[in-house]
Structures are given as structure tokens and as C-alpha cells.
Amino acid sequence: MGYQAAIFDIDGVLVDSPHELAWREALARLMAGPWAGQAGATSYTPERFTSAVYQAYVSGKPREAGASAALAYFGIADPDGRRLREYCDTKQALLLALIERGAFTAFDDGIRLLLRLRAAGARVVAASSSKNADLFLRRVSLERFGDAFTLPPGATLLDMFDANVNGHAVPRGKPDPALFLLAAAAVGALPAACVVVEDAPAGVQAAKAGGMACVGVARRGDAAELRAAGADWVVADLDALPLAELA
């Protein structure tokens, strides 16, 4: 391997989590319920909370930062911070219920890339802003990959990482590189010796700001945006990324 460490974002790269659904549904419930009196003074409608808005303002950020950005985008006043807390709590309750129901899927191409890099000698690090990321990883069994890779009995995706900085508090969220720099330090790798696997433009910007190489996976038809953010490789399917390119 040409890189000492591979740093993986989680949501959108390894799992298709219901974070976006939880953020959207939580705000819809609040605006239809306890916050209904303020609706006319905002730009919010359920239809305006699109995937593009989620990716641009919420995705990849720590929980409170993402909630604050969504409230600001829709012009929802929060002078004392109570709405921020209520939004975070409502979203978290919805998310935990969705996880408990198993309402998410794993991306097999992302898992295969992780296992291939691990087998090639790279250290692999989990680096998500979400404090819930481990809950997803723990639920993904690797039994179906046992024929292609040598894996411990009963292994889950969470067991495959040499280090895990999911949910760690950092001074600023993406596109600031703080989380990825923390990930590199966790395995003693210099930033220039790391490659990040990301699905969001803000995450690509964070990797490049940290002096790292970056693979962008365009799962939403956003290849142009990932290239514009600085991704060194952009693929729609991570199985299409040859390891020779990373060497």
C-alpha cells in the first residue's frame, strides 16, 4: 500500500443510515406541533428540506452544529437555545428508534474496499462526526464476506478498525480537517500518508484541508461536486477503485 492509513467516513460510505430521514422528520414534527405558531415567520416547508439542503448544511457536522445550521437555513428563531436542544433530542429519539428497527442498510462495496485495504496492510480508522456511528457498525455482520476474507468468527464491521474516532468532540466540524487529523494521529500516521473515503463535498474538503488524499464515492449522482471539492478519485461504486491506484 502506498498509504499507511485509510480513514473511512461512515454514513454514505459504509452504511446508508437514516440520519437524513431522522433530521427531516424531527423538524416536520416540531413545525407541525409545538413550533407551529412560528411557521409563518420562517421559510420552512417540508418540501424545502431536500437532500441537497441536508448535504450542504447538516451532513458531516456534529449534532448541535447540524441542528443549528438547519434552523438558521430555514430562519427558525432560537434566541435562548431551547429549540436547538428540542430539535436535537427529537431527532435522536427518532434515530434510535430507526436503528432499533434495523432501518438501514450496509454498502457492500464500501465494506469490501475496507477489507481489501486492511488485507493490503493499511491501518483503517473510523471517523464520523456522529455519536451514533458505532451503533450501526456493531449491527453489520461480516459473515457474508467470510469466503473472500479471513475474518474472526462473529466479526462485525465495528471490529475491523484499528482506531475509532467516531463522535469525538472537535473544535469545528467538516469542512474543517480536525476530525481527520485526529484519526491520523490515532494510528500514528502523517496526514500525507493517509487516504480518506468520503461521500460528501464537505468531507472531501476536510480531507484536502488536512493534507490527505481522498476518494469520493458519488452515491447521489454528485460526481461533479466531489471533483470540485478536490477529490483525487471519484467513483460511483467503490468496487471500481483499483488498489493499484492507491499504491
Side-chain angles (χ1 to χ4, degrees):
M1 274 297 298
Y3 294 97
Q4 295 175 8
I7 300 170
F8 282 80
D9 179 42
I10 304 303
D11 188 16
V13 174
L14 296 175
V15 299
D16 184 11
S17 84
H19 273 96
E20 180 178 345
L21 174 62
W23 279 118
R24 185 182 291 117
E25 179 63 22
L27 191 55
R29 290 188 185 186
L30 291 167
M31 293 300 288
W35 300 358
Q38 190 181 328
T42 75
S43 64
Y44 174 80
T45 63
E47 305 80 43
R48 290 196 70 231
F49 201 156
T50 63
S51 289
V53 169
Y54 173 77
Q55 287 297 324
Y57 294 91
V58 183
S59 179
K61 295 181 178 178
R63 189 181 306 163
E64 290 195 356
S68 180
L71 295 179
Y73 177 82
F74 290 113
I76 300 171
D78 186 28
D80 58 7
R82 283 187 294 178
R83 286 197 173 99
L84 174 65
R85 292 189 292 275
E86 189 173 4
Y87 187 21
C88 287
D89 291 346
T90 303
K91 175 263 176 181
Q92 182 66 6
L94 279 169
L95 182 67
L96 292 177
L98 289 166
I99 295 172
E100 185 63 28
R101 297 206 308 263
F104 70 95
T105 57
F107 290 118
D108 283 3
D109 63 328
I111 297 173
R112 280 190 290 268
L113 177 62
L114 185 154
L115 295 175
R116 289 165 66 201
L117 292 173
R118 192 170 179 266
R123 285 162 280 173
V124 292
V125 189
S128 170
S129 300
S130 173
K131 296 178 181 178
N132 302 294
D134 288 3
L135 298 177
F136 295 105
L137 298 176
R138 189 176 289 114
R139 282 176 168 263
V140 178
S141 168
L142 299 184
E143 183 177 0
R144 63 189 181 279
F145 298 97
D147 291 340
F149 300 93
T150 303
L151 301 170
T156 70
L157 189 49
L158 185 62
D159 300 321
M160 293 297 101
F161 295 97
D162 297 292
N164 181 335
V165 297
N166 292 337
H168 276 236
V170 291
R172 292 164 298 279
K174 301 170 189 176
D176 188 275
L179 185 66
F180 291 150
L181 293 173
L182 183 65
V187 289
L190 294 173
C194 297
V195 59
V196 173
V197 188
E198 257 287 353
D199 73 308
V204 173
Q205 291 171 344
K208 301 309 294 181
M212 302 177 184
C214 187
V215 175
V217 54
R219 300 207 188 275
R220 293 174 296 276
D222 54 351
E225 290 84 347
L226 294 170
R227 289 192 186 94
D232 300 284
W233 301 271
V234 177
V235 293
D237 184 322
L238 289 168
D239 285 332
L241 182 72
L243 282 190
E245 289 284 323
L246 299 184

